[in-house]
Amino acid sequence: MGQPSDTHGVAPAVTTDSDFNRELSVEQLSPKVRSILGLPDKSIGAEAFGSGSHPFTTERVSVENGIEPVNSYPWRATGKLSMTFGPQRFVCSASVIGRSLLVTAAHCVHNFGKGKEGFASSVSFEPARHDDARPFGTWTAKAWFIPKTYFDGSDVCSNGAPGVVCENDIAVVVLNQNGDKAIADVVGMYNLPPEPNEDEVPPHEFGFTFFLGQKSAHFTQLGYPSMDYDGTKMIRTDSLGYQDDPNNVIIGSNQTGGSSGCPWLQNFGTPTSYTGTPPFDSQLNTVTAVTSWGFTTSHIKVQGASRFAKNHAYTKKTNIRSLVDEACGADPGAC
């Protein structure tokens, strides 16, 4: 919930990392996560598999000497986000989920619990950014919406990481049009998960199933990390994720600061020729979370996200659907 100041504009190329102190120490991990990673309490422990025991693949999306396939759908619906907070400029990642709507992390556009003073003063988006190329231009934002609990600092968060590992680190950004076109008309858009059926007990959660003792789903993460990366090329991670409190999901990933706000997609890709029995929850290119935090201990190689779900603050509709409805109510043409 909330709107930006009257200052808008295009932030120039940014090299500043966007962590906002989003990296956690091992001591801030929940006991469950420490146990899954094989880390004893209050100790880093032995490095396991180079990734905190959580398998993943993180590689560049584009070919060695070109932009392809970043400039094709569905990749091009992800891009680099630039923000201004006072005199400082930062970078995150974001993706298109509506005619003129993006989804990103709340911390990319607002400092947790800072109220009206916490908002960024300007936000801009470069879909399919690749080196110095901006094949689909730069799009300025005119409004951004965050959960009220993030706005006032009342969100349910981990005791070890207040303001960082929280239920609702998500934001919806409304873009201005470029010429007479909306962003989705140019690069396409991703899907959101269907709202849970209230008649189901427990309610079904899109793409999640019990696997190896955890409530798990498979994710493709597309982001623009800048810490230890050049920050100008799209990076892809594929990993199994599992749910953890508070309303978080955790994947193995080598992505870093700058990937905050990037989409965690289920069923990423384009349709095949398959004609057999479809799998459950087969809706393509569905964003169900966005990157929120990582670790200061570099060999852990795990990241977490606030899930798109109902929780303590959102009991009638999911957090993402509530924010989208708020944005669309304020600006119907964006939807």
Side-chain angles (χ1 to χ4, degrees):
M1 188 180 93
Q3 303 237 352
S5 71
D6 292 332
T7 304
H8 303 292
V10 181
V14 182
T15 57
T16 307
D17 183 34
S18 64
D19 292 325
F20 297 104
N21 297 318
R22 306 304 295 182
E23 277 88 20
L24 307 181
S25 67
V26 172
E27 288 74 20
Q28 291 175 292
L29 291 170
S30 70
K32 173 184 174 181
V33 176
R34 278 200 296 268
S35 174
I36 291 172
L37 298 181
L39 303 175
D41 282 355
K42 305 301 182 183
S43 171
I44 293 177
E47 183 173 358
F49 214 73
S51 60
S53 298
H54 199 140
F56 66 89
T57 300
T58 296
E59 298 292 346
R60 197 175 91 182
V61 172
S62 55
V63 296
E64 185 172 354
N65 296 309
I67 190 174
E68 297 79 10
V70 173
N71 56 347
S72 299
Y73 185 81
W75 293 270
R76 68 188 183 192
T78 294
K80 186 167 183 173
L81 199 71
S82 299
M83 309 81 63
T84 301
F85 285 85
Q88 294 183 290
R89 294 188 175 115
F90 299 90
V91 292
C92 277
S93 304
S95 59
V96 183
I97 57 165
R99 186 167 183 267
S100 293
L101 299 181
L102 305 178
V103 66
T104 189
H107 77 261
C108 292
V109 298
H110 187 272
N111 288 313
F112 180 80
K114 297 299 183 181
K116 292 181 179 179
E117 302 301 317
F119 286 109
S121 58
S122 67
V123 177
S124 62
F125 179 64
E126 297 169 340
R129 171 73 182 269
H130 182 79
D131 288 334
D132 292 329
R134 299 166 179 81
F136 303 103
T138 300
W139 300 68
T140 60
K142 58 181 176 179
W144 31 105
F145 296 80
I146 64 171
K148 184 180 184 298
T149 54
Y150 206 91
F151 176 85
D152 62 21
S154 64
D155 204 23
V156 173
C157 301
S158 169
N159 290 334
V164 179
V165 181
C166 300
E167 286 192 334
N168 294 295
D169 185 15
I170 65 173
V172 170
V173 176
V174 181
L175 296 179
N176 291 302
Q177 292 191 0
N178 264 356
D180 60 350
K181 291 186 178 296
I183 184 71
D185 297 334
V186 177
V187 301
M189 58 184 279
Y190 298 138
N191 292 308
L192 293 177
E195 286 288 282
N197 184 344
E198 295 183 358
D199 294 332
E200 292 184 81
V201 180
H204 174 68
E205 295 175 276
F206 183 85
F208 280 92
T209 186
F210 278 96
F211 182 67
L212 298 179
Q214 303 296 325
K215 198 165 190 180
S216 305
H218 183 270
F219 294 93
T220 297
Q221 176 195 32
L222 300 177
Y224 283 84
S226 57
M227 179 183 289
D228 302 323
Y229 292 84
D230 63 19
T232 64
K233 296 181 182 69
M234 187 183 292
I235 305 298
R236 172 176 177 166
T237 294
D238 291 280
S239 176
L240 190 72
Y242 63 88
Q243 292 185 15
D244 187 44
D245 293 328
N247 190 48
N248 269 225
V249 61
I250 296 172
I251 62 171
S253 178
N254 199 38
Q255 299 204 37
T256 59
S259 67
S260 287
C262 79
W264 291 19
L265 292 143
Q266 295 183 38
N267 306 325
F268 179 74
T270 55
T272 70
S273 60
Y274 178 71
T275 58
T277 303
F280 295 111
D281 294 343
S282 58
Q283 176 178 276
L284 288 176
N285 301 314
T286 301
V287 187
T288 57
V290 292
T291 302
S292 178
W293 52 268
F295 291 101
T296 53
T297 304
S298 61
H299 70 70
I300 297 296
K301 300 191 186 306
V302 165
Q303 288 188 311
S306 297
R307 294 190 297 121
F308 295 174
K310 294 181 179 181
N311 54 54
H312 290 88
Y314 293 96
T315 59
K316 300 297 184 182
K317 292 186 288 188
T318 59
N319 47 14
I320 184 62
R321 181 54 58 187
S322 297
L323 288 178
V324 167
D325 287 351
E326 185 177 359
C328 292
D331 191 344
C335 304

